[in-house]
Amino acid sequence: MKIAVIGWGSVGNAAILGLRPHHEVVGYDIDGRGFWEDVVHSEVALVCVQTDATADEDLDMSNIFQVSSRLADDNFRGLVIIKSTLRPGTMEELEVLHPNIRFVYMPEFLREKDAVEWFANPDRIVASGHTKNVDVAFDCFSWVPKETPRIRMKHLEAELGKLAHNAYIATKVTFTCEIERICHSKGANPIPVMETVWTDRRVSNPAHLTPGLGGFDGKCVPKDTLALATVDKDPDSLLKILHSRGSKGEVMKREGEKSRGEGSNGNSSAAGLFFICLCGVFYFLAMVGLVALSDGFFNEEEMVPPVHKIWDGGELPPAGSFIFFEDVHSSNTQTRTYSSTTCATDFGSDRESCHTQTWDVTYLVITVGSEQIYAEFEDLAWGVRECMLGTCDLLGMMESNGVFVVFDGR
Ligand SMILES: NC(=O)c1ccc[n+]([C@@H]2O[C@H](COP(=O)([O-])OP(=O)(O)OC[C@H]3O[C@@H](n4cnc5c(N)ncnc54)[C@H](O)[C@@H]3O)[C@@H](O)[C@H]2O)c1
């Protein structure tokens, strides 16, 4: 297929490089790169122009409207796939303004740092528009494995979904910052506190991201959340806002409805809802521990292990340290064989018999500055993919045998 990429910035450049092995691709930018003539004669135009924030906290759609008008004026007959992030409602406006243009919205979720890799290997492809047009848009990405979800939805849903995804990231990060702030105000180390959160299996599944289940509820989650919010002296505390917005009672009051899932006519049984609520907003599990511990505990400085938030070269931190390595790269793996011998005495014969077990552990050899460390991953395939193809950020703990046990990576 002949594809033209309009807007040769971060996303456009990743699109050009990601699409080129599979299609005939041309790039065009208003700054002088490429030729508009090539765009007009393409089968697909992928719009990647910037949609920056405006002074009144909206998104500036002027580049999107400008490019669309230009395509319409030149009777563009191909498919226009908008990749830029949009103000909700924009796709509908475009379809009204340019009824002869076939539009699809396909928001982009790449990470700027590894833009090409993420463009070429997306976690999912979201698209909105008429079925046949979306089929063509998906065909442009036919190299993406079949297992990768292709999700069809309405324009407004795709527009909101793109914004919601970033808002969720902002919420997670804000939550972490808030917990970090509270920990520091109490003299506690935030790393083990957050480790208490991220090691929970509910953090990495969609249970608490599923809409329609109402606010959080149960015996402990509301009271403990409120208790931690009370510990927090900041009047603008995120926790206070979460509590006043997210508890089941507040959600019901706001929506002016009876409890969803309660009684006999809901799809989910009361027991099911109770379970989900008890499982709770996963974040708050960490808070239970926090509230249960007294001020005295937090004030004991020796309880706080050494933290090297970002390793900045020089001698590696000592064993037992939590470290955050940024932008590390790996070029190979190494397998080490370990053995352990257990002996038992047979009291009848008074003889000792020993049994030796051996096992292999494969590490990713990571280069950090001038040092090489051996990173142990729970999911080695992830480490190989992320750290060998590009660079990765890793959080983990140094062990005494020089091994770095990875807790989390991105
Ligand atoms: N950068 C990211 O990590 C990222 C990730 C996902 C989505 N997005 C979204 O993708 C869009 C593009 O982001 P970006 O970071 O690539 O922007 P960018 O500023 O890096 O690049 C945009 C390019 O578009 C060009 N351009 C502007 N108007 C044009 C026009 N009328 N005709 C031709 N070219 C034009 C500009 O000259 C610029 O080179 C935005 O909506 C952004 O929100 C960005």
Side-chain angles (χ1 to χ4, degrees), residues 69-359:
S69 298
R70 200 169 172 193
L71 288 166
D73 291 347
D74 287 339
N75 278 323
F76 181 69
R77 288 280 159 256
L79 179 70
V80 177
I81 303 177
I82 309 269
K83 274 264 158 203
S84 302
T85 303
L86 300 180
R87 182 207 307 134
T90 303
M91 287 305 296
E92 199 183 333
E93 286 179 55
L94 288 174
E95 287 184 334
V96 170
L97 275 173
H98 306 296
N100 294 327
I101 289 196
R102 292 183 293 134
F103 282 109
V104 162
Y105 181 43
M106 190 183 264
E108 179 54 53
F109 298 94
L110 62 78
R111 187 172 74 160
E112 196 158 5
K113 224 165 89 174
D114 316 296
V116 181
E117 155 66 10
W118 280 54
F119 183 89
N121 296 301
D123 294 333
R124 71 323 210 167
I125 306 177
V126 168
S128 62
H130 291 297
T131 309
K132 280 188 182 162
N133 296 337
V134 170
D135 287 344
V136 176
F138 283 155
D139 280 349
C140 297
F141 294 80
S142 53
W143 75 86
V144 176
K146 279 200 294 293
E147 303 73 46
T148 304
R150 269 94 168 149
I151 315 173
R152 294 171 190 260
M153 58 187 77
K154 293 181 179 150
H155 285 323
L156 193 59
E157 292 158 356
E159 290 165 337
L160 286 167
K162 167 65 196 170
L163 299 182
H165 172 255
N166 274 341
Y168 177 63
I169 292 173
T171 307
K172 267 171 84 175
V173 172
T174 309
F175 175 82
T176 306
C177 294
E178 287 287 280
I179 295 297
E180 207 173 341
R181 185 177 57 74
I182 294 170
C183 287
H184 285 147
S185 75
K186 294 287 179 189
N189 180 353
I191 300 235
V193 173
M194 286 309 294
E195 190 187 354
T196 314
V197 178
W198 78 60
T199 45
D200 190 291
R201 76 194 74 169
R202 281 159 290 188
V203 169
S204 53
N205 80 24
H208 303 111
L209 299 175
T210 307
L213 299 172
F216 55 84
D217 200 4
K219 195 174 162 194
C220 300
V221 174
K223 78 174 172 59
D224 293 345
T225 307
L226 195 55
L228 187 64
T230 306
V231 166
D232 187 4
K233 298 295 171 226
D234 185 339
D236 297 319
S237 157
L238 175 72
L239 298 177
K240 287 196 182 84
I241 295 166
L242 285 180
H243 193 270
S244 64
R245 302 283 305 169
S247 70
K248 189 176 172 190
E250 286 299 322
V251 171
M252 282 165 60
K253 211 185 321 163
R254 209 169 40 248
E255 293 181 358
E257 62 177 29
K258 288 197 74 167
S259 167
R260 271 176 289 186
E262 270 184 4
S264 56
N265 56 352
N267 284 339
S268 47
S269 68
L273 188 69
F274 176 73
F275 173 73
I276 289 160
C277 288
L278 193 67
C279 289
V281 177
F282 53 78
Y283 292 141
F284 300 115
L285 289 180
M287 300 171 200
V288 176
L290 261 179
V291 172
L293 296 169
S294 69
D295 274 359
F297 173 86
F298 287 118
N299 290 334
E300 285 172 26
E301 273 179 22
E302 62 278 14
M303 297 296 286
V304 180
V307 179
H308 295 259
K309 199 170 181 191
I310 297 175
W311 187 75
D312 52 2
E315 206 175 300
L316 274 175
S321 302
F322 288 88
I323 319 172
F324 181 55
F325 287 124
E326 245 184 343
D327 283 340
V328 293
H329 179 68
S330 167
S331 51
N332 60 311
T333 59
Q334 194 180 95
T335 303
R336 286 187 190 173
T337 302
Y338 292 90
S339 66
S340 134
T341 303
T342 42
C343 298
T345 306
D346 175 354
F347 288 108
S349 61
D350 214 20
R351 273 186 21 214
E352 194 182 55
S353 62
C354 294
H355 173 66
T356 301
Q357 256 191 322
T358 62
W359 67 93

Side-chain angles (χ1 to χ4, degrees), residues 369-383:
S370 57
E371 299 279 347
Q372 290 213 314
I373 61 167
Y374 299 91
E376 183 182 327
F377 287 82
E378 195 179 328
D379 180 0
L380 184 66
W382 181 91

Side-chain angles (χ1 to χ4, degrees), residues 6-12 28-31 33 36 48-52 63 66-67 70 83-86 108-112 162:
I6 306 175
W8 204 327
S10 307
V11 171
Y28 171 79
D29 197 289
I30 204 169
D31 68 6
R33 287 175 288 167
W36 182 253
C48 306
V49 296
Q50 76 269 34
T51 53
D52 293 338
N63 293 324
Q66 198 270 335
V67 167
R70 200 169 172 193
K83 274 264 158 203
S84 302
T85 303
L86 300 180
E108 179 54 53
F109 298 94
L110 62 78
R111 187 172 74 160
E112 196 158 5
K162 167 65 196 170

